[in-house]
Amino acid sequence: MQNKTKSTLLLELRELHQRLRKLETEKDDLRISLETSTEHGDLIEYELLNRLAIFRQQFEALEQEKKDLELSLQVVTETTDLFQNELLDARDTLEIEVRRRTSELAENNLKLQAEIAERERAEAQLKLAASVFQASREGIVITDANCHIILINEAFTKLTGYTEFECLGRNPNLLKSGLHEEFFYQNMWEAIDTLGHWGGEIWNRRKNVEVFSCWLSISAVKSEGQQVTHYIGIMTDNTHQRLSEQRIYQLSHYDALTTLPNRALFQDRLQVAIKRAHRENYRLALLFIDLDNFKDVNTAFSHPTGDQLLQNVAHRLLACVNDDNDAVARLGGDEFVVLLDNLKNEQTILQNAADMADRLLRQLQRPFLLEGFEIFISATIGISLYPEDGDDIDELLKHADNAMFEAKQQGRNNYHFYSKPMNVEARKRLTMQNGLRRALENDEFYLCYQPQLDAKTRRVIGAEALIRWQHPQLGLISPNDFIPLAESTGLIIPIGEWALRIACEQNKRWQNEGLPPIRVAVNLSVRQFYHQGLLSSINAALQQSHLDPRWLELEITETLAMTSADKTLKKIQALQDLGISMAIDDFGTGYSSLNYLKQFSLDILKIDKSFIGDIHSTSGKALISTIINMAHSLGMHVTAEGVETLEQLEELETMACEYIQGFIFYKPLLKEDMQQLLIRENSKIVNTLSQ
Ligand SMILES: Nc1nc2c(ncn2[C@@H]2O[C@H](COP(=O)(O)O[C@H]3[C@@H](O)[C@H](n4cnc5c(=O)[nH]c(N)nc54)O[C@@H]3COP(=O)(O)O)[C@@H](O)[C@H]2O)c(=O)[nH]1
C-alpha cells in the first residue's frame, strides 16, 4: 500500500466511493424489495436478508478498505508533502545552480563568440593579405634574415621573368644589372642596417638579360627582440615612366626637326662651359649663325623642303665641329649656334673662331640637293668670346646676335666679331683670305732663297726656298701669317705646287747658266704632304723643269712625320724612290719616336733654331751633340738652322754638324741676289781650280 502513489490511491478511493454508492443503491433497492415482499413468502425474505447481510459485509469491507485507503492517502499525502518540500528546496538550490551555470555558460559563450569573431577576422585579414600579395602590381620578394628568397608574388615573376621555383633559396642579387658601382649597394645596405629601410631607383636585369629601371623599397622585419627575421623588397617597374621621361626630356631639350639641342639645353651647356672655362682658365667662342634668305626657300619651294634644308644644314654644321669639345644647337627658325669650348691657347682663339666660321660658311655654300634641285644658300655669323664679350649666357648670346646683325649689314655670307679689335684682326684675316685666292692669279708670290753652307768648306751647297707674299694693300706678308690660312682654306695645295714648280725651274735655270749646282729645299705643309696629288705634282715640276731630282730636297716637319706613321713612311719612301732628298724640319720642337725615325731613313735632319740659340749652355750643348750623334748613327746628315753667332758656328763645327743655315752667313735672298752669290761661288771654285 505504501508503495502506491497518491494519485493511484485517490483513483482507488474514487472507485471505492462509486462501489459504495452502488452498494447503497442496491441496499436501498433491496430494502424496498424486502418491505414490499410480503406477498412472496418467507423464502424471498430470507434471500433478501441474506443478500443484505452480504451487502453489509461488503459495505463494511469496503468502508474498511476506504478507511485504509484514506489512511494510506493521508500517509502518502504527508509523505508527498514532505518530499514536496524537500523537492522544493532541492529545486531552489538547483535553480540557483542552474542560473549560475547558465550565466557562466552565457559568459563563456560570449567569450567564445568573440574568439570566433576574432579568429574569423584574422582569417579574413590573412586571406586579404594573401590576395593583396598575389594581386599586387608591385613585384614583392620576401627573404629570410640571410637574404635567401622564401616568397615572391606573381608580379615579381612578371617583372623579372624568374619563377618561384627559380628564385627560392637564392639571393635577390640575381637581378644585379652591373650598372651600379659597388658603393651604391654599400650605401643601400647601410641604410637598411641603420634605418631599417631603403628606397630608391635602381637598374636591375631580367632573366632575359634585359636591363630595366624600377623603384625599389626594402624593409627589414624585426622580431620583438629586434632581431632581423625577414627582408621585404617591393619593386615597381619604372621603365615606362623612364621612357616617358626620356621622351619628355627629348621633347623639351631637343629640336624635333633637326634633333639638335634646343635653346634650353644649349643654355644649360653654355652655363656649364662658362663655369668650367672660369675654373680652368680657358676661353670660349660662341658663333651665332643665321641663314641668309631662308624665307625665299620656303616661298620658292615649300615648307617641307625648307624643313629638309634645315635638317641638312644641321648635319653639315655637326660635321664641322669637334665632337668632344664643341656643341651645335638650333635656337629656332633658321638660327643655329656653335660653341667652341676649351680654347686654351690665347694666341689662336681668334684664329680658331675665324677658322670655324670660314669652315661653316664654306660648308653651307655648297649646294643642297633637295627634291631634284640644287639649292644654294649662305649664312651670316656673329661671334662673341668668353670672357672678353660677356661672362654670362645672356650677354654672350646677345653679343653674338648683335655681331651677326652687324655682319648682315655689311653684306651677307660673312662673319663678324662682337669686339672691335677682334674685328680689325678678323677683317685683316678676311682681306688676306680673299686676297689669297687671287694672289696666285695676280702673281703676288715670290720665292726667296736662304743659302745653306758646308760647315767645313763654307761653300754654298744648297738653299731653302722661302715663299713671300707681296700684298697690294697690306704690303709684305710673312709666311707665318698666311701659310696657316692657306692650310685651313685648302689654298695651300695650289700655292705649294706653285712654290715647288718655281723652285725647280729656278734651280734648273741657274744650272743652265753654268752656275754650280745646288740642292734647293722646298717646304711641304701637312695638308700638301697628304694630298693625293702630291707625287704627280712633284713629277710634273721635275719633268717640266728638267731638274735632276737629286737637286731637290723636300722638308717635312717633325710633327707631320710622326702622325699616321705608316702612311707617312710609304709616301717618304715613294719620294725617295724618285731620287729626291727628304729632310725633317724643326727637329726637337715636336714629338719624335726614335723607332719611326729609324724606319723613315730620312736624308737630312734640321735642328730647330730654338736649340741653336741655347747652344751656349751646357745642357743645350749636350742636347745638340746628342741629336747630331743620333742623326749620324741613323745615317742622316745634319743642318743647323738659325745660326746667328760665331760661337754657335764654332760649337757646331766641333760637333761635326755638316751644314749651316742662318743669318750669320745669309738671310733669305731674292733670286737675283742668290744668283749673284752663286756666281761668286762659281768664281771661287774657278779660282781654286786655277791655283
Ligand atoms: N709650306 C711652306 N712653308 C713655308 C714656305 N716658305 C716658308 N715657309 C715656312 O714659313 C715659316 C717662316 O718662314 P720664314 O719667315 O721665311 O723664316 C725662315 C727663315 O727666314 C728663318 N731663319 C733662317 N735663319 C734664321 C736665323 O738665323 N735667325 C732667325 N731668326 N730666323 C732664321 O727661319 C725660317 C725657315 O724655317 P724652316 O722652314 O723651319 O727652315 C717657316 O716655318 C717656313 O718653313 C713654303 O713655300 N711652303
Side-chain angles (χ1 to χ4, degrees), residues 434-445:
N434 292 336
L436 205 54
R437 293 178 202 278
R438 290 187 304 269
L440 268 181
E441 298 161 26
N442 295 349
D443 216 10
E444 290 167 8
F445 293 119

PDB file of all heavy atoms in Angstrom, residues 434-445:
ATOM      1  N   ASN A 434      90.588  86.589 -98.674  1.00  0.00           N
ATOM      2  CA  ASN A 434      90.054  86.889-100.002  1.00  0.00           C
ATOM      3  C   ASN A 434      91.187  87.123-100.985  1.00  0.00           C
ATOM      4  O   ASN A 434      91.149  86.678-102.131  1.00  0.00           O
ATOM      5  CB  ASN A 434      89.147  88.123 -99.954  1.00  0.00           C
ATOM      6  CG  ASN A 434      87.877  87.805 -99.173  1.00  0.00           C
ATOM      7  OD1 ASN A 434      87.489  86.641 -99.067  1.00  0.00           O
ATOM      8  ND2 ASN A 434      87.267  88.828 -98.600  1.00  0.00           N
ATOM      9  N   GLY A 435      92.264  87.825-100.456  1.00  0.00           N
ATOM     10  CA  GLY A 435      93.405  88.142-101.313  1.00  0.00           C
ATOM     11  C   GLY A 435      94.168  86.894-101.705  1.00  0.00           C
ATOM     12  O   GLY A 435      94.696  86.799-102.825  1.00  0.00           O
ATOM     13  N   LEU A 436      94.200  85.936-100.776  1.00  0.00           N
ATOM     14  CA  LEU A 436      94.970  84.714-101.002  1.00  0.00           C
ATOM     15  C   LEU A 436      94.449  83.977-102.245  1.00  0.00           C
ATOM     16  O   LEU A 436      95.220  83.403-103.004  1.00  0.00           O
ATOM     17  CB  LEU A 436      94.842  83.824 -99.761  1.00  0.00           C
ATOM     18  CG  LEU A 436      95.948  82.816 -99.484  1.00  0.00           C
ATOM     19  CD1 LEU A 436      97.315  83.472 -99.444  1.00  0.00           C
ATOM     20  CD2 LEU A 436      95.678  82.113 -98.164  1.00  0.00           C
ATOM     21  N   ARG A 437      93.131  84.060-102.410  1.00  0.00           N
ATOM     22  CA  ARG A 437      92.524  83.376-103.565  1.00  0.00           C
ATOM     23  C   ARG A 437      93.013  83.996-104.875  1.00  0.00           C
ATOM     24  O   ARG A 437      93.179  83.307-105.868  1.00  0.00           O
ATOM     25  CB  ARG A 437      90.992  83.487-103.511  1.00  0.00           C
ATOM     26  CG  ARG A 437      90.379  82.722-102.367  1.00  0.00           C
ATOM     27  CD  ARG A 437      88.884  82.901-102.323  1.00  0.00           C
ATOM     28  NE  ARG A 437      88.378  82.608-100.981  1.00  0.00           N
ATOM     29  CZ  ARG A 437      88.125  81.384-100.532  1.00  0.00           C
ATOM     30  NH1 ARG A 437      88.285  80.358-101.329  1.00  0.00           N
ATOM     31  NH2 ARG A 437      87.704  81.186 -99.306  1.00  0.00           N
ATOM     32  N   ARG A 438      93.249  85.315-104.837  1.00  0.00           N
ATOM     33  CA  ARG A 438      93.626  85.992-106.085  1.00  0.00           C
ATOM     34  C   ARG A 438      95.131  86.133-106.242  1.00  0.00           C
ATOM     35  O   ARG A 438      95.623  86.472-107.311  1.00  0.00           O
ATOM     36  CB  ARG A 438      92.990  87.381-106.113  1.00  0.00           C
ATOM     37  CG  ARG A 438      91.480  87.371-106.293  1.00  0.00           C
ATOM     38  CD  ARG A 438      90.999  88.791-106.489  1.00  0.00           C
ATOM     39  NE  ARG A 438      91.420  89.635-105.361  1.00  0.00           N
ATOM     40  CZ  ARG A 438      90.685  89.836-104.265  1.00  0.00           C
ATOM     41  NH1 ARG A 438      89.500  89.282-104.160  1.00  0.00           N
ATOM     42  NH2 ARG A 438      91.129  90.599-103.309  1.00  0.00           N
ATOM     43  N   ALA A 439      95.868  85.883-105.121  1.00  0.00           N
ATOM     44  CA  ALA A 439      97.306  86.157-105.133  1.00  0.00           C
ATOM     45  C   ALA A 439      98.051  85.378-106.215  1.00  0.00           C
ATOM     46  O   ALA A 439      98.975  85.904-106.852  1.00  0.00           O
ATOM     47  CB  ALA A 439      97.894  85.843-103.766  1.00  0.00           C
ATOM     48  N   LEU A 440      97.653  84.145-106.424  1.00  0.00           N
ATOM     49  CA  LEU A 440      98.343  83.332-107.436  1.00  0.00           C
ATOM     50  C   LEU A 440      98.118  83.913-108.829  1.00  0.00           C
ATOM     51  O   LEU A 440      99.078  84.118-109.580  1.00  0.00           O
ATOM     52  CB  LEU A 440      97.825  81.891-107.396  1.00  0.00           C
ATOM     53  CG  LEU A 440      98.572  80.907-106.507  1.00  0.00           C
ATOM     54  CD1 LEU A 440      97.947  79.520-106.601  1.00  0.00           C
ATOM     55  CD2 LEU A 440     100.060  80.835-106.856  1.00  0.00           C
ATOM     56  N   GLU A 441      96.810  84.184-109.106  1.00  0.00           N
ATOM     57  CA  GLU A 441      96.481  84.747-110.432  1.00  0.00           C
ATOM     58  C   GLU A 441      97.206  86.072-110.639  1.00  0.00           C
ATOM     59  O   GLU A 441      97.691  86.378-111.727  1.00  0.00           O
ATOM     60  CB  GLU A 441      94.978  85.047-110.531  1.00  0.00           C
ATOM     61  CG  GLU A 441      94.085  83.839-110.409  1.00  0.00           C
ATOM     62  CD  GLU A 441      92.658  84.252-110.039  1.00  0.00           C
ATOM     63  OE1 GLU A 441      92.244  85.387-110.335  1.00  0.00           O
ATOM     64  OE2 GLU A 441      91.969  83.416-109.413  1.00  0.00           O
ATOM     65  N   ASN A 442      97.299  86.864-109.545  1.00  0.00           N
ATOM     66  CA  ASN A 442      97.895  88.202-109.668  1.00  0.00           C
ATOM     67  C   ASN A 442      99.412  88.194-109.531  1.00  0.00           C
ATOM     68  O   ASN A 442     100.039  89.253-109.472  1.00  0.00           O
ATOM     69  CB  ASN A 442      97.305  89.135-108.615  1.00  0.00           C
ATOM     70  CG  ASN A 442      95.831  89.375-108.846  1.00  0.00           C
ATOM     71  OD1 ASN A 442      95.302  89.019-109.903  1.00  0.00           O
ATOM     72  ND2 ASN A 442      95.161  89.945-107.868  1.00  0.00           N
ATOM     73  N   ASP A 443      99.968  86.996-109.420  1.00  0.00           N
ATOM     74  CA  ASP A 443     101.419  86.866-109.365  1.00  0.00           C
ATOM     75  C   ASP A 443     102.022  87.642-108.185  1.00  0.00           C
ATOM     76  O   ASP A 443     103.035  88.335-108.331  1.00  0.00           O
ATOM     77  CB  ASP A 443     102.008  87.398-110.690  1.00  0.00           C
ATOM     78  CG  ASP A 443     103.217  86.589-111.105  1.00  0.00           C
ATOM     79  OD1 ASP A 443     103.446  85.535-110.474  1.00  0.00           O
ATOM     80  OD2 ASP A 443     103.940  86.999-112.029  1.00  0.00           O
ATOM     81  N   GLU A 444     101.376  87.529-107.023  1.00  0.00           N
ATOM     82  CA  GLU A 444     101.830  88.306-105.865  1.00  0.00           C
ATOM     83  C   GLU A 444     102.837  87.537-104.996  1.00  0.00           C
ATOM     84  O   GLU A 444     103.357  88.063-104.025  1.00  0.00           O
ATOM     85  CB  GLU A 444     100.619  88.712-105.013  1.00  0.00           C
ATOM     86  CG  GLU A 444      99.757  89.759-105.695  1.00  0.00           C
ATOM     87  CD  GLU A 444      98.398  89.962-105.048  1.00  0.00           C
ATOM     88  OE1 GLU A 444      98.148  89.400-103.965  1.00  0.00           O
ATOM     89  OE2 GLU A 444      97.567  90.667-105.639  1.00  0.00           O
ATOM     90  N   PHE A 445     103.053  86.267-105.325  1.00  0.00           N
ATOM     91  CA  PHE A 445     104.020  85.478-104.544  1.00  0.00           C
ATOM     92  C   PHE A 445     105.383  85.516-105.214  1.00  0.00           C
ATOM     93  O   PHE A 445     105.488  85.632-106.443  1.00  0.00           O
ATOM     94  CB  PHE A 445     103.588  84.013-104.463  1.00  0.00           C
ATOM     95  CG  PHE A 445     102.324  83.795-103.656  1.00  0.00           C
ATOM     96  CD1 PHE A 445     101.191  83.248-104.249  1.00  0.00           C
ATOM     97  CD2 PHE A 445     102.285  84.130-102.310  1.00  0.00           C
ATOM     98  CE1 PHE A 445     100.042  83.036-103.517  1.00  0.00           C
ATOM     99  CE2 PHE A 445     101.127  83.917-101.570  1.00  0.00           C
ATOM    100  CZ  PHE A 445      99.997  83.376-102.183  1.00  0.00           C
TER     101      PHE A 445
END
